[in-house]
Structures are given as C-alpha cells and as structure tokens.
Amino acid sequence: MRVQLITQYWWPHDGVPHRRWSWITEALVKNGHQVTVVTPVAGKERGWNGLRSILREFLSHRTVAAEIGPHGESIYRVPASKHSDSLVKRAFNQGMVAFNSLVMVLVIWRNASRGMRPHLIVGTVPALPTAIATWLASRITDTPYVVDLRDAWPQLLEEVSRWDEVRGKPTALRSTIFRRGIKVSTGLVKILMHRIYREADGIIVTAETLGESLLDGGMLEESDLFILRNVYPTPLRPKTNYPASQSAKRSLKVLYAGKIGRAQDLTTVLEAVSLAAERGYSIALRVRGTGAGLQQARDLADRLGISVDFGETVARQALQEDFDWADPALVHLRNWPALHQAVPSKTFELMRQKIHITGVVAGETADLIRTLGAGHVVPPGDYHGLAELWAYLLENPDELVVGDRARRWVISTEKEELRLFPAYLERLVENARVERTM
C-alpha cells in the first residue's frame, strides 16, 4: 500500500503531530508499506518565492526530488512563511502551506507512473487548511482520503471568541473586528469541514468521545472510524525516585511541560500556587514550554508575587531531569466543551513514566486519570480545589506514588491499536476500489 501523507509538522521538528506520525510511519514501513510525506521546509522559509518555484516545476513537468526520512519515507518539502503566534498570520501561513502541499501532491501524482501512484491520501489536523488540501487532492486525483483528527474541529471554533483572551485584553476596535470577522469565517469553515468529514473514506481520532461525537453527528459510519490514541513511545525512563514515606513534605515540586497556548491558559495554576502560599504551603513550580500564553503567564506570576521557574521548550530527552525532579506533573486544559473530547498526549507520556498526574481537566482525560489510578483531578478553573489538592499531597506524600496499572494500559493500547491500524487503511483502500468500479 502506498500512503501519501499531508502534514504541516515533520522531522526534524519535534512536536506532538510529528511524534505521532513518525511512530505510525515507522510501523507502516516495517509492514512493507510505502509512505510519502508532503510537509513544509525545515529550518527556512521561502514564502511566495518558493510557491513560484513549485508552480514552475508543475508547469514545466519537471521531476521533483525527494529526501529520505529516518524511517525510509520519501519527503517532499514545500515553502512556508515564518511562524507567528498571531491567529491571522498563523491562518495565512497554514493556508499557504496547504495550497503549496496541494500543488506538490499533484506534481507527485503526475510524475508517478500509473502503477506507482498513492493508494490513499491522509491529511493531519490541526491545521484545518490541510484537511481542505487533502479533500481537493482526493477529488482531483480520484484517490480515497482519510482525515487524522486530533481535536474536536470544528467544535473548537465555537470558543473562538475566547481565543484572543490569552494574549491580553484587546482594544475595543480590534476586538470588534476580530469577532465579526471570525463569526463569518467560522460559519463557512463549519460547513466545509462537515462536508469533508462526510465525504472522507475514513477518519482517525485520538479520543473515544471525539469519535462518538462524529458518529452521533452522522459524519461517517462506525466501520470507517478508527481510534488511534497518542500512545507513542517516549525516550524518557519511568520515575523511580518517589518521595520517602513521611508525615509531610516541606515543598511540593510541580512540573508543567508542554504548550502554553490558548487551550491551556495557566491562570488557574498560578492562582493556586499563590493561594497555597497564603495558606502556608510551599509549591515549587517549573514551566517548560512556549506558546501564545507564555508572556501572560509570566506577567501574572509577577503580579501575584510568586516565583516560577520558566524555561524554554527543549528536546524530550533533555526533560528527563525535570521529570525526575517533579513530584506531580500537570495536565491542564481550559473548561471548553470541545476540549472535553480531547486527551493531551502528555497524559499518556506521564502514565508511561509513572509520574503522578495533577489533572486540571474534564471529560475523557479526567475519566482516564481516575479510572487508571494515574493521579488526581480537579475541575478546570478551580484554583481553590487545586490549592487544596496540593496541600493534601504535601500532607500525604504516599499519594504521589503511582502504580503500574496506567503504564501497562498505555503499552497494551499502543501495541493493539498500532497492530490493527494498517489493516484498517487497507480495508478503506479496498472499499474505495470496489465503489469506484461499481
């Protein structure tokens, strides 16, 4: 089977979307399948000049050279603009990359002999324009397609009016323009995304509740849905240095490692640290990550008069010392209904490492933490409850020791879902072939 992957995140970048599909690609290649990746350039941006270059290659019928990735996949790079935290600039860049990816897919398809063209196109979301490019590529080339959906899109668009909150209070004019523009575009995007889902040959999701939502909405048949969680392996070793059993700890060492974006918003965490300090409890907080909300978090920590160790994102292996240092680690999301259908990948990573999870979450993530005995949960936004939980953990350090149940579940789930995944894709390809010959 020949799989064409369209993604805006790939090696050598190290992020959740890349880790997920690097893991999947390795398994597909080991099973004898061919994977071709269309993704942005690594380490440099070429913008419109790069687009003109691709169009010249397309019109001149020249063959485009591919580089070989770490798992034997063929990688075709397309131009991109410089990354920005601005929603408008990010949407523009994602749209440019998606258009460039569509053109590149057509170049690859045209240059390949009939017996070597992709059997299936897979588009990864986030980056909504990627789903549109995947849909258009499928229609133009008459190739079945699959959407890999990590979050509850387009439901997250219902929270779009709050997206700019994390950047600070906007001016009245800016807020009015932003909200009106988003309201119009949101309606159009919803219509288009629902059409893309309904016409897809299959949809891959990372959470059961997200899959159930799609089925309840009539987006696809149950047989065309596949749940493949972000249970990919991590290079980090399991925790072994749990605190010694004693009556109480002097200070609780809390780690947040991950994106600090619009969906996370660490306000609850910082307010809980401040409240715990007022009550005489010492919370040492380390934050490792970047994102649109980082500066706001720094500013809030200064206003609250609390000391927080903010550090840049580093390679996962370099975080080993931070994870060894931590007593619990945070999984934190805002109280948006769409986020109740998402399970952050760090949830599974922490379960693998047997690190106590302090979950400021609701929905499926909260259910998993409780059911698997992986930690404790408080509702999003409840800084009083979070401060009380940390005080309880300080006074009862034995509660920080995590058993093997969650780790065993993650490893078992990884093996089972990855074992079944290639057969799912092959079945979709065969079903599409039969339908096209009827």
Side-chain angles (χ1 to χ4, degrees):
M1 178 176 58
R2 294 182 293 276
V3 178
Q4 173 75 73
L5 177 65
I6 304 176
T7 178
Q8 301 213 0
Y9 313 90
W10 201 253
W11 171 82
H13 298 296
D14 182 33
V16 173
H18 163 248
R19 289 179 218 141
R20 171 179 174 79
W21 269 95
S22 176
W23 165 60
I24 295 171
T25 296
E26 181 179 17
L28 289 173
V29 172
K30 284 183 177 179
N31 279 276
H33 305 293
Q34 298 177 21
V35 178
T36 300
V37 182
V38 174
T39 193
V41 291
K44 63 178 182 177
E45 298 78 25
R46 292 189 293 161
W48 293 111
N49 291 330
L51 173 58
R52 285 193 291 268
S53 175
I54 286 183
L55 290 173
R56 284 197 301 269
E57 292 167 347
F58 178 71
L59 295 174
S60 64
H61 291 258
R62 286 186 292 180
T63 300
V64 180
E67 61 180 286
I68 304 301
H71 305 304
E73 72 275 18
S74 300
I75 305 174
Y76 293 86
R77 304 281 183 179
V78 300
S81 297
K82 188 176 181 180
H83 174 77
S84 171
D85 285 331
S86 163
L87 285 173
V88 174
K89 291 181 180 179
R90 179 177 295 185
F92 176 80
N93 182 45
Q94 290 181 353
M96 170 187 282
V97 171
F99 179 77
N100 294 341
S101 298
L102 173 61
V103 175
M104 181 62 77
V105 169
L106 298 181
V107 170
I108 296 170
W109 188 83
R110 182 201 61 198
N111 290 342
S113 60
R114 183 169 296 275
M116 292 302 293
R117 289 171 177 167
H119 294 116
L120 184 70
I121 301 174
V122 179
T124 67
V125 178
L128 294 184
T130 299
I132 300 172
T134 302
W135 173 63
L136 289 173
S138 169
R139 291 176 67 87
I140 294 171
T141 63
D142 193 31
T143 305
Y145 75 96
V146 172
V147 176
D148 178 43
L149 190 62
R150 287 182 51 234
D151 296 306
W153 297 101
Q155 295 96 314
L156 272 171
L157 293 174
E158 296 172 4
E159 307 294 344
V160 75
S161 62
R162 307 184 194 179
W163 284 10
D164 218 31
E165 292 176 2
V166 76
R167 299 297 302 277
K169 188 175 181 179
T171 64
L173 177 60
R174 176 185 166 196
S175 178
T176 300
I177 294 173
F178 177 81
R179 293 174 191 275
R180 288 181 178 177
I182 288 295
K183 185 176 181 180
V184 174
S185 59
T186 294
L188 296 175
V189 170
K190 282 184 178 180
I191 293 172
L192 182 55
M193 291 302 294
H194 284 159
R195 179 173 179 177
I196 291 172
Y197 294 161
R198 289 191 175 98
E199 294 184 5
D201 294 87
I203 298 181
I204 309 161
V205 296
T206 58
E208 286 187 18
T209 46
L210 178 53
E212 291 168 357
S213 175
L214 293 170
L215 294 174
D216 292 343
M219 299 297 164
L220 76 167
E221 299 294 329
E222 187 171 1
S223 60
D224 297 329
L225 176 71
F226 193 89
I227 301 171
L228 184 57
R229 297 169 178 84
N230 281 330
V231 288
Y232 47 77
T234 171
L236 302 172
R237 63 178 178 270
K239 187 176 182 66
T240 56
N241 59 329
Y242 293 108
S245 178
Q246 54 190 23
S247 58
K249 284 175 60 65
R250 292 183 178 179
S251 178
L252 189 69
K253 296 176 289 187
V254 180
L255 173 68
Y256 178 85
K259 185 177 180 181
I260 311 169
R262 295 170 176 85
Q264 289 79 31
D265 183 19
L266 298 182
T267 298
T268 300
V269 174
L270 299 175
E271 290 177 340
V273 172
S274 177
L275 181 58
E278 291 176 7
R279 295 176 176 177
Y281 295 99
S282 173
I283 308 297
L285 176 63
R286 284 188 184 180
V287 176
R288 297 291 182 263
T290 59
L294 177 58
Q295 189 56 51
Q296 184 183 3
R298 290 179 182 272
D299 293 343
L300 179 57
D302 289 340
R303 289 198 301 272
L304 292 172
I306 59 175
S307 176
V308 179
D309 180 2
F310 288 99
E312 293 292 321
T313 299
V314 295
R316 301 311 285 177
Q317 295 91 328
L319 283 173
Q320 185 69 63
E321 188 273 330
D322 291 307
F323 284 118
D324 288 341
W325 168 86
D327 295 320
L330 280 160
V331 174
H332 187 284
L333 290 175
R334 299 177 76 170
N335 194 24
W336 295 350
L339 295 178
H340 298 177
Q341 303 174 31
V343 181
S345 58
K346 68 168 67 67
T347 308
F348 303 120
E349 185 175 58
L350 295 173
M351 288 179 179
R352 274 186 182 272
Q353 293 173 255
K354 297 176 61 177
I355 296 177
H356 178 284
I357 299 174
T358 295
V360 188
V361 289
E364 186 168 343
T365 305
D367 292 342
L368 282 170
I369 294 171
R370 292 192 187 102
T371 302
L372 296 172
H376 292 77
V377 175
V378 297
D382 184 4
Y383 69 94
H384 285 278
L386 183 56
E388 290 172 0
L389 170 60
W390 284 339
Y392 172 77
L393 294 175
L394 275 166
E395 295 171 354
N396 300 272
D398 288 345
E399 292 287 331
L400 291 165
V401 180
V402 177
D404 286 330
R405 184 181 178 190
R407 174 177 167 81
R408 291 199 307 268
W409 182 87
V410 169
I411 294 173
S412 173
T413 300
E414 174 204 353
K415 292 179 180 178
E416 182 64 10
E417 291 182 354
L418 201 58
R419 180 183 68 82
L420 297 173
F421 185 65
Y424 161 76
L425 296 183
E426 291 173 337
R427 177 169 54 78
L428 294 182
V429 170
E430 179 60 22
N431 290 345
R433 186 192 65 78
V434 172
E435 290 177 3
R436 283 163 169 75
T437 57
M438 291 179 63

